[in-house]
Amino acid sequence: MTDVDVDPERNELSRWLADETLRLCQIPSVTGDEAALCDDLEARLGRLAAAGQPLTIRRLGNTLLVQRLRRPGRPLVGLFGHSDTVKPAASQPLRIDEAAGRVYGCGASDMKGGLAVMLRLLAEADALPYDLLCVFYDKEEGPAADSGILPLCQPEGGAPSPLAALDLALCLEPTDGEIHAGCIGGLQALVTARGRRAHSARPWQGDNAIYAALPLLERLRDRKRREVRVGGLPFYEVLTATTAATQNSRNVVPDRFVLNLNYRFAPDKEPARARAELLDFIGPGYDVEIVDEAPPGAVRLDAPLLRDWLARTGLAVAAKQAWTDVARLTALGLCAVNFGPGDTAEAHQANESVSVAALARACRLLREIAR
């Protein structure tokens, strides 16, 4: 590979991560169909534990909680990676390109490359200067309420969440090798414009619901992104129409036209305020149903462990202009950020890939979180 270091250890690490990422991509795991990949991960980690790595493995549905047994005086670092992907494109390559130094596959960047890094660190857990907890969870790409991470964020029989002891949490979402702090919140709303049904040959006898939505569509078209700075980082609030549909025959004037609006809002805003602002923007004359809601993630860069790591590595810090499970983790009071080897521009692409050099760099940096 052109991007593999001549150092033997780095060369071995790069090849291991490339091979493992491809292997994970070869196991389909579209949202809702993660069982086969979870089985594979559980068996692989079980063999690691049987070989002497002091790991505990707990499975909840298709989510795995894997932890190195605690050692006195060691900080506890959590790594989080979702096992599901979007549906692959028909043209998606599945291979290692040695010349380009990239692994191609659905989920390579988002985020099976991150899972490969987690597996490598678990294999090295005994040698790390911190204790490691890894969560491989399902259904991240689907509705927020279905995510496999949710049970781990809840108290268990009166005890706190098993994640509560973490000194630092990192979601290995694609971040271009930077630290992405916080994350924007999201609302999905179905907005219905009403009309009156008629024969398309005599449209004057009806009232076309599509045309009733034109004032709203024009305001959406003209709405500019709004920059909001939180913790010194720029987040952008955007409101976008993402789907539009009628349910009538082609020779019928529609009496119902439904838009899906996707509202992304900054970390300084509670969902209730975001809902109120969305309803105010839509205005009267439409039926509105909020169908999905995800709170934003707080900008948390205050943990001593994180501050020291940033100072030693010089990692760039940017805002996370997307929703991630950092929102759930900061809601637990944890210091949590996004840091992963994937490319943000590669996520969900038809020819998704990840850089082998980025995989190895992320693994080396994560080894150095604590001294």
PDB file of all heavy atoms in Angstrom, residues 58-77:
ATOM      1  N   ARG A  58     -21.027  -8.699  27.389  1.00  0.00           N
ATOM      2  CA  ARG A  58     -22.457  -8.752  27.710  1.00  0.00           C
ATOM      3  C   ARG A  58     -23.248  -8.404  26.457  1.00  0.00           C
ATOM      4  O   ARG A  58     -22.943  -7.417  25.780  1.00  0.00           O
ATOM      5  CB  ARG A  58     -22.770  -7.759  28.821  1.00  0.00           C
ATOM      6  CG  ARG A  58     -24.230  -7.683  29.228  1.00  0.00           C
ATOM      7  CD  ARG A  58     -24.398  -6.627  30.286  1.00  0.00           C
ATOM      8  NE  ARG A  58     -25.785  -6.368  30.608  1.00  0.00           N
ATOM      9  CZ  ARG A  58     -26.218  -5.305  31.267  1.00  0.00           C
ATOM     10  NH1 ARG A  58     -25.342  -4.404  31.703  1.00  0.00           N
ATOM     11  NH2 ARG A  58     -27.497  -5.134  31.510  1.00  0.00           N
ATOM     12  N   ARG A  59     -24.251  -9.215  26.134  1.00  0.00           N
ATOM     13  CA  ARG A  59     -25.065  -8.977  24.938  1.00  0.00           C
ATOM     14  C   ARG A  59     -26.488  -8.615  25.338  1.00  0.00           C
ATOM     15  O   ARG A  59     -27.102  -9.296  26.162  1.00  0.00           O
ATOM     16  CB  ARG A  59     -25.064 -10.204  24.035  1.00  0.00           C
ATOM     17  CG  ARG A  59     -25.883 -10.021  22.752  1.00  0.00           C
ATOM     18  CD  ARG A  59     -25.567 -11.087  21.736  1.00  0.00           C
ATOM     19  NE  ARG A  59     -26.351 -10.921  20.522  1.00  0.00           N
ATOM     20  CZ  ARG A  59     -26.128 -11.552  19.374  1.00  0.00           C
ATOM     21  NH1 ARG A  59     -25.106 -12.400  19.281  1.00  0.00           N
ATOM     22  NH2 ARG A  59     -26.890 -11.351  18.308  1.00  0.00           N
ATOM     23  N   LEU A  60     -27.004  -7.546  24.748  1.00  0.00           N
ATOM     24  CA  LEU A  60     -28.398  -7.142  24.918  1.00  0.00           C
ATOM     25  C   LEU A  60     -28.992  -7.007  23.525  1.00  0.00           C
ATOM     26  O   LEU A  60     -28.709  -6.040  22.805  1.00  0.00           O
ATOM     27  CB  LEU A  60     -28.517  -5.802  25.651  1.00  0.00           C
ATOM     28  CG  LEU A  60     -27.988  -5.733  27.081  1.00  0.00           C
ATOM     29  CD1 LEU A  60     -26.506  -5.343  27.088  1.00  0.00           C
ATOM     30  CD2 LEU A  60     -28.788  -4.715  27.886  1.00  0.00           C
ATOM     31  N   GLY A  61     -29.780  -7.986  23.111  1.00  0.00           N
ATOM     32  CA  GLY A  61     -30.285  -7.983  21.746  1.00  0.00           C
ATOM     33  C   GLY A  61     -29.119  -8.096  20.788  1.00  0.00           C
ATOM     34  O   GLY A  61     -28.352  -9.062  20.829  1.00  0.00           O
ATOM     35  N   ASN A  62     -28.946  -7.112  19.930  1.00  0.00           N
ATOM     36  CA  ASN A  62     -27.818  -7.095  19.000  1.00  0.00           C
ATOM     37  C   ASN A  62     -26.819  -5.996  19.348  1.00  0.00           C
ATOM     38  O   ASN A  62     -26.157  -5.440  18.474  1.00  0.00           O
ATOM     39  CB  ASN A  62     -28.317  -6.933  17.563  1.00  0.00           C
ATOM     40  CG  ASN A  62     -29.002  -8.186  17.065  1.00  0.00           C
ATOM     41  OD1 ASN A  62     -28.567  -9.307  17.348  1.00  0.00           O
ATOM     42  ND2 ASN A  62     -30.095  -8.009  16.338  1.00  0.00           N
ATOM     43  N   THR A  63     -26.728  -5.713  20.647  1.00  0.00           N
ATOM     44  CA  THR A  63     -25.747  -4.758  21.166  1.00  0.00           C
ATOM     45  C   THR A  63     -24.792  -5.489  22.091  1.00  0.00           C
ATOM     46  O   THR A  63     -25.214  -6.334  22.887  1.00  0.00           O
ATOM     47  CB  THR A  63     -26.448  -3.617  21.916  1.00  0.00           C
ATOM     48  OG1 THR A  63     -27.176  -2.818  20.974  1.00  0.00           O
ATOM     49  CG2 THR A  63     -25.463  -2.733  22.659  1.00  0.00           C
ATOM     50  N   LEU A  64     -23.503  -5.173  21.989  1.00  0.00           N
ATOM     51  CA  LEU A  64     -22.481  -5.793  22.832  1.00  0.00           C
ATOM     52  C   LEU A  64     -21.815  -4.728  23.698  1.00  0.00           C
ATOM     53  O   LEU A  64     -21.408  -3.673  23.206  1.00  0.00           O
ATOM     54  CB  LEU A  64     -21.411  -6.466  21.977  1.00  0.00           C
ATOM     55  CG  LEU A  64     -21.841  -7.662  21.129  1.00  0.00           C
ATOM     56  CD1 LEU A  64     -20.692  -8.092  20.219  1.00  0.00           C
ATOM     57  CD2 LEU A  64     -22.283  -8.829  22.006  1.00  0.00           C
ATOM     58  N   LEU A  65     -21.711  -5.021  24.991  1.00  0.00           N
ATOM     59  CA  LEU A  65     -20.964  -4.201  25.938  1.00  0.00           C
ATOM     60  C   LEU A  65     -19.742  -5.012  26.362  1.00  0.00           C
ATOM     61  O   LEU A  65     -19.873  -6.064  26.984  1.00  0.00           O
ATOM     62  CB  LEU A  65     -21.835  -3.864  27.152  1.00  0.00           C
ATOM     63  CG  LEU A  65     -21.169  -3.087  28.290  1.00  0.00           C
ATOM     64  CD1 LEU A  65     -20.825  -1.671  27.848  1.00  0.00           C
ATOM     65  CD2 LEU A  65     -22.070  -3.042  29.512  1.00  0.00           C
ATOM     66  N   VAL A  66     -18.566  -4.542  26.007  1.00  0.00           N
ATOM     67  CA  VAL A  66     -17.324  -5.285  26.244  1.00  0.00           C
ATOM     68  C   VAL A  66     -16.407  -4.410  27.093  1.00  0.00           C
ATOM     69  O   VAL A  66     -16.156  -3.248  26.759  1.00  0.00           O
ATOM     70  CB  VAL A  66     -16.625  -5.634  24.919  1.00  0.00           C
ATOM     71  CG1 VAL A  66     -15.449  -6.563  25.162  1.00  0.00           C
ATOM     72  CG2 VAL A  66     -17.611  -6.238  23.922  1.00  0.00           C
ATOM     73  N   GLN A  67     -15.897  -4.973  28.191  1.00  0.00           N
ATOM     74  CA  GLN A  67     -15.089  -4.163  29.096  1.00  0.00           C
ATOM     75  C   GLN A  67     -13.866  -4.929  29.583  1.00  0.00           C
ATOM     76  O   GLN A  67     -13.944  -6.115  29.910  1.00  0.00           O
ATOM     77  CB  GLN A  67     -15.907  -3.698  30.295  1.00  0.00           C
ATOM     78  CG  GLN A  67     -15.146  -2.764  31.227  1.00  0.00           C
ATOM     79  CD  GLN A  67     -16.038  -2.136  32.282  1.00  0.00           C
ATOM     80  OE1 GLN A  67     -17.251  -2.258  32.235  1.00  0.00           O
ATOM     81  NE2 GLN A  67     -15.424  -1.468  33.233  1.00  0.00           N
ATOM     82  N   ARG A  68     -12.732  -4.221  29.617  1.00  0.00           N
ATOM     83  CA  ARG A  68     -11.547  -4.758  30.245  1.00  0.00           C
ATOM     84  C   ARG A  68     -11.729  -4.672  31.757  1.00  0.00           C
ATOM     85  O   ARG A  68     -12.193  -3.661  32.287  1.00  0.00           O
ATOM     86  CB  ARG A  68     -10.316  -3.940  29.831  1.00  0.00           C
ATOM     87  CG  ARG A  68      -9.000  -4.676  30.071  1.00  0.00           C
ATOM     88  CD  ARG A  68      -8.242  -4.105  31.243  1.00  0.00           C
ATOM     89  NE  ARG A  68      -7.006  -4.886  31.456  1.00  0.00           N
ATOM     90  CZ  ARG A  68      -6.764  -5.534  32.579  1.00  0.00           C
ATOM     91  NH1 ARG A  68      -7.610  -5.517  33.596  1.00  0.00           N
ATOM     92  NH2 ARG A  68      -5.640  -6.200  32.717  1.00  0.00           N
ATOM     93  N   LEU A  69     -11.431  -5.722  32.477  1.00  0.00           N
ATOM     94  CA  LEU A  69     -11.588  -5.720  33.926  1.00  0.00           C
ATOM     95  C   LEU A  69     -10.833  -4.546  34.534  1.00  0.00           C
ATOM     96  O   LEU A  69      -9.696  -4.240  34.142  1.00  0.00           O
ATOM     97  CB  LEU A  69     -11.103  -7.046  34.508  1.00  0.00           C
ATOM     98  CG  LEU A  69     -11.883  -8.294  34.068  1.00  0.00           C
ATOM     99  CD1 LEU A  69     -11.256  -9.544  34.670  1.00  0.00           C
ATOM    100  CD2 LEU A  69     -13.346  -8.191  34.448  1.00  0.00           C
ATOM    101  N   ARG A  70     -11.454  -3.871  35.508  1.00  0.00           N
ATOM    102  CA  ARG A  70     -10.880  -2.646  36.066  1.00  0.00           C
ATOM    103  C   ARG A  70      -9.596  -2.917  36.844  1.00  0.00           C
ATOM    104  O   ARG A  70      -9.446  -3.933  37.517  1.00  0.00           O
ATOM    105  CB  ARG A  70     -11.888  -1.953  36.994  1.00  0.00           C
ATOM    106  CG  ARG A  70     -13.159  -1.445  36.330  1.00  0.00           C
ATOM    107  CD  ARG A  70     -12.898  -0.488  35.181  1.00  0.00           C
ATOM    108  NE  ARG A  70     -12.031   0.633  35.502  1.00  0.00           N
ATOM    109  CZ  ARG A  70     -12.459   1.797  35.990  1.00  0.00           C
ATOM    110  NH1 ARG A  70     -13.749   1.980  36.231  1.00  0.00           N
ATOM    111  NH2 ARG A  70     -11.613   2.783  36.223  1.00  0.00           N
ATOM    112  N   ARG A  71      -8.679  -1.938  36.712  1.00  0.00           N
ATOM    113  CA  ARG A  71      -7.427  -1.953  37.458  1.00  0.00           C
ATOM    114  C   ARG A  71      -7.376  -0.682  38.302  1.00  0.00           C
ATOM    115  O   ARG A  71      -7.753   0.400  37.820  1.00  0.00           O
ATOM    116  CB  ARG A  71      -6.236  -1.987  36.485  1.00  0.00           C
ATOM    117  CG  ARG A  71      -6.113  -3.281  35.707  1.00  0.00           C
ATOM    118  CD  ARG A  71      -5.093  -3.186  34.583  1.00  0.00           C
ATOM    119  NE  ARG A  71      -5.555  -2.333  33.501  1.00  0.00           N
ATOM    120  CZ  ARG A  71      -4.902  -2.144  32.353  1.00  0.00           C
ATOM    121  NH1 ARG A  71      -3.736  -2.748  32.158  1.00  0.00           N
ATOM    122  NH2 ARG A  71      -5.393  -1.353  31.417  1.00  0.00           N
ATOM    123  N   PRO A  72      -6.954  -0.758  39.554  1.00  0.00           N
ATOM    124  CA  PRO A  72      -6.949   0.418  40.423  1.00  0.00           C
ATOM    125  C   PRO A  72      -6.147   1.566  39.819  1.00  0.00           C
ATOM    126  O   PRO A  72      -5.062   1.361  39.265  1.00  0.00           O
ATOM    127  CB  PRO A  72      -6.304  -0.093  41.715  1.00  0.00           C
ATOM    128  CG  PRO A  72      -6.521  -1.568  41.700  1.00  0.00           C
ATOM    129  CD  PRO A  72      -6.465  -1.966  40.255  1.00  0.00           C
ATOM    130  N   GLY A  73      -6.702   2.763  39.919  1.00  0.00           N
ATOM    131  CA  GLY A  73      -5.991   3.961  39.493  1.00  0.00           C
ATOM    132  C   GLY A  73      -6.007   4.238  38.006  1.00  0.00           C
ATOM    133  O   GLY A  73      -5.439   5.240  37.563  1.00  0.00           O
ATOM    134  N   ARG A  74      -6.650   3.381  37.205  1.00  0.00           N
ATOM    135  CA  ARG A  74      -6.705   3.601  35.761  1.00  0.00           C
ATOM    136  C   ARG A  74      -7.997   4.321  35.380  1.00  0.00           C
ATOM    137  O   ARG A  74      -9.069   3.958  35.853  1.00  0.00           O
ATOM    138  CB  ARG A  74      -6.658   2.271  35.009  1.00  0.00           C
ATOM    139  CG  ARG A  74      -5.457   1.396  35.348  1.00  0.00           C
ATOM    140  CD  ARG A  74      -4.232   1.830  34.588  1.00  0.00           C
ATOM    141  NE  ARG A  74      -3.084   0.974  34.888  1.00  0.00           N
ATOM    142  CZ  ARG A  74      -2.339   0.374  33.958  1.00  0.00           C
ATOM    143  NH1 ARG A  74      -2.621   0.523  32.688  1.00  0.00           N
ATOM    144  NH2 ARG A  74      -1.306  -0.362  34.318  1.00  0.00           N
ATOM    145  N   PRO A  75      -7.917   5.339  34.499  1.00  0.00           N
ATOM    146  CA  PRO A  75      -9.153   5.949  33.996  1.00  0.00           C
ATOM    147  C   PRO A  75      -9.903   4.965  33.102  1.00  0.00           C
ATOM    148  O   PRO A  75      -9.313   4.029  32.554  1.00  0.00           O
ATOM    149  CB  PRO A  75      -8.658   7.161  33.206  1.00  0.00           C
ATOM    150  CG  PRO A  75      -7.252   6.831  32.833  1.00  0.00           C
ATOM    151  CD  PRO A  75      -6.712   5.962  33.943  1.00  0.00           C
ATOM    152  N   LEU A  76     -11.206   5.184  32.970  1.00  0.00           N
ATOM    153  CA  LEU A  76     -12.044   4.328  32.134  1.00  0.00           C
ATOM    154  C   LEU A  76     -12.505   5.120  30.917  1.00  0.00           C
ATOM    155  O   LEU A  76     -13.149   6.155  31.036  1.00  0.00           O
ATOM    156  CB  LEU A  76     -13.259   3.823  32.927  1.00  0.00           C
ATOM    157  CG  LEU A  76     -14.219   2.890  32.176  1.00  0.00           C
ATOM    158  CD1 LEU A  76     -13.495   1.605  31.743  1.00  0.00           C
ATOM    159  CD2 LEU A  76     -15.434   2.549  33.047  1.00  0.00           C
ATOM    160  N   VAL A  77     -12.142   4.609  29.744  1.00  0.00           N
ATOM    161  CA  VAL A  77     -12.464   5.261  28.477  1.00  0.00           C
ATOM    162  C   VAL A  77     -13.469   4.392  27.724  1.00  0.00           C
ATOM    163  O   VAL A  77     -13.278   3.170  27.618  1.00  0.00           O
ATOM    164  CB  VAL A  77     -11.197   5.471  27.631  1.00  0.00           C
ATOM    165  CG1 VAL A  77     -11.550   6.038  26.253  1.00  0.00           C
ATOM    166  CG2 VAL A  77     -10.222   6.397  28.353  1.00  0.00           C
TER     167      VAL A  77
END
